[in-house]
Amino acid sequence: MPSTPHRALRALLALCTAAGLASVAAAPAQASPGSGPTAVVAMGDSYISGEAGRWLGNSLTNSGGRDGTDRAWTGSGYAPSRVYGPTAGGCHRSDVSEVRSAGPIASTLINLACSGATTANVVRAAQGGQAYKGEAPQADQLAAVAATHDVELIALSIGGNDLGFADIITTCATDYIVWYSYCHDDQQAEVDARIDGVMAGVGKAVDEIRAVMTGAGYAASDYRIVLQSYPSPIPRAAENRYSESGWSRTNTGGCPFWNKDSDWARDSLVPQLANRLRQVAVAKGAQFLDLRDTLQGREVCAKASRQVTAALPPSGAASEWARWIDSQSTQGLVQESMHPNAYGQQALGRCLALIQAVPSGHRACRNTAGAGPSGMYLTAG
């Protein structure tokens, strides 16, 4: 996207003013905003940081390469840093994260997102934002990027941790495994009580991104913010390949949820969050990317997908695209559970590439049955 006339000059003058400098000549030498390499930036939480990118589908084998699903297998041990780099065990920015799987959509693809982040971890420190996992708030990190790159698009996934997504999953799984009770009734009440505050936080996060970009000399037309929703990692009850009774959903499938809770999550909770996020996008002038159906048929335990075995190797066209709940804690970290895995992240990357080519309007991203991540497509959103 071409830079706006005089943007670099405005930014340099703003920098000088902020530093109390008497002349442009006194400013430190650095690239002017908009004149550096083009960039697409990912911000937010685990669904965009690349959490669970270690896994190519799910396998019951607990040793070696786990039937080829464990990308951290070295041949003699496990090195999660092969997938997550220095963020292993922390922000979990994987090598197949959404922005890194999007292809050559910009000269530089930058991932600032962090697993577990909330809206407070996006907001600038000067505006009350909070550092997280040893890193400055993401908006402050964005300021440094915007000063040295021509930022064209910022993809934002945030709000799930504010709402307590992980707690909801834990509660629902515990109610299935331990208490033999439903979670959807009391959890819906919790969601309803919190969601207005969550959306206010998401709106503030978008405002903070705008403020940073304006401070760096960008006009609103120089870049785009794409606010995205969340895909459901579990299928509807009718689409689950395991019986509700017995322990197969837990011990074999890794999806310990009652039918009614599964239907609630898939057809109530995820759409409710998506619809509210869309409202924020509209109100704040951002594009909205609806991901609620991205994993349709590829969820954990979905009938249309299968687990990986020695005889059935990992396949983007047939394997599950989300990480199961490892109830025995024998494979990786619990924090990877219920996130898009390597295939899912690649699919999200394709969605990002597709919307990057659409300069305006809201879109939904869906997969093509029987095809791999490259089969993603957009519909009106």
Side-chain angles (χ1 to χ4, degrees):
M1 181 181 295
S3 302
T4 349
H6 310 305
R7 188 172 74 193
L9 177 60
R10 292 199 309 271
L12 191 57
L13 291 174
L15 178 64
C16 293
T17 301
L21 301 175
S23 68
V24 172
Q30 67 178 53
S32 300
S35 65
T38 58
V40 170
V41 182
M43 300 179 67
D45 55 28
S46 56
Y47 273 70
I48 198 169
S49 76
E51 183 71 81
R54 173 176 174 175
W55 305 97
L56 288 167
N58 300 304
S59 167
L60 290 170
T61 300
N62 289 328
S63 60
R66 338 270 198 189
D67 295 322
T69 62
D70 192 346
R71 301 176 60 238
W73 173 245
T74 65
S76 60
Y78 303 102
S81 61
R82 294 180 64 175
V83 176
Y84 300 117
T87 69
C91 286
H92 272 193
R93 298 185 184 112
S94 71
D95 58 349
V96 290
S97 67
E98 180 177 318
V99 69
R100 294 190 62 182
S101 291
I105 59 174
S107 300
T108 311
L109 305 174
I110 299 173
N111 190 354
L112 303 180
C114 188
S115 181
T118 65
T119 54
N121 305 130
V122 174
V123 174
R124 290 170 296 173
Q127 298 300 316
Q130 300 171 8
Y132 187 60
K133 294 187 177 178
E135 296 187 0
Q138 292 177 33
D140 289 320
Q141 296 181 56
L142 175 65
V145 173
T148 56
H149 294 75
D150 181 7
V151 177
E152 296 182 334
L153 187 149
I154 300 159
L156 176 65
S157 169
I158 202 69
N161 292 317
D162 299 74
L163 192 64
F165 236 8
D167 291 338
I168 292 172
I169 290 172
T170 299
T171 298
C172 291
T174 301
D175 284 353
Y176 179 87
I177 297 171
V178 179
W179 302 116
Y180 304 99
S181 62
Y182 295 125
C183 73
H184 63 271
D185 43 4
D186 56 330
Q187 291 303 302
Q188 183 63 64
E190 290 286 333
V191 169
D192 290 341
R194 300 176 67 173
I195 198 163
D196 285 346
V198 170
M199 291 305 121
V202 174
K204 183 175 181 179
V206 175
D207 288 343
E208 284 288 289
I209 291 171
R210 291 255 185 243
V212 165
M213 297 301 287
T214 299
Y218 290 72
S221 59
D222 292 331
Y223 68 97
R224 281 184 283 155
I225 298 174
V226 174
L227 178 63
Q228 60 189 52
S229 66
Y230 297 87
S232 173
I234 59 174
R236 299 176 179 89
E239 297 166 352
N240 195 310
R241 63 177 178 264
Y242 300 101
S243 170
E244 183 179 35
S245 60
W247 292 104
S248 60
R249 283 192 180 178
T250 301
N251 297 335
T252 304
C255 58
F257 306 103
W258 294 109
N259 284 345
K260 288 186 177 180
D261 291 339
S262 298
D263 286 343
W264 167 73
R266 179 66 180 82
D267 290 327
S268 181
L269 175 61
V270 169
Q272 180 183 12
L273 186 53
N275 292 339
R276 292 298 301 270
L277 287 168
R278 189 184 192 281
Q279 291 175 9
V280 173
V282 171
K284 298 297 181 179
Q287 265 188 300
F288 179 60
L289 180 58
D290 192 340
L291 301 176
R292 73 182 76 184
D293 296 320
T294 300
L295 301 180
Q296 173 61 37
R298 315 306 181 92
E299 307 99 332
V300 178
C301 297
K303 286 180 180 178
S305 298
R306 59 167 172 77
Q307 287 184 348
V308 177
T309 67
L312 298 170
S315 164
S319 300
E320 295 165 326
W321 287 7
R323 183 64 179 157
W324 63 4
I325 295 178
D326 178 13
S327 60
Q328 305 301 316
S329 299
T330 56
Q331 297 184 10
L333 299 178
V334 174
Q335 74 180 63
E336 295 173 305
S337 301
M338 296 289 113
H339 287 84
N341 61 23
Y343 292 130
Q345 293 292 337
Q346 290 165 2
L348 294 175
R350 180 59 182 157
C351 294
L352 179 59
L354 290 170
I355 200 166
Q356 189 270 344
V358 179
S360 63
H362 309 303
R363 297 292 187 271
C365 196
R366 296 183 168 88
N367 70 71
T368 302
S374 62
M376 305 305 295
Y377 64 94
L378 297 181
T379 65

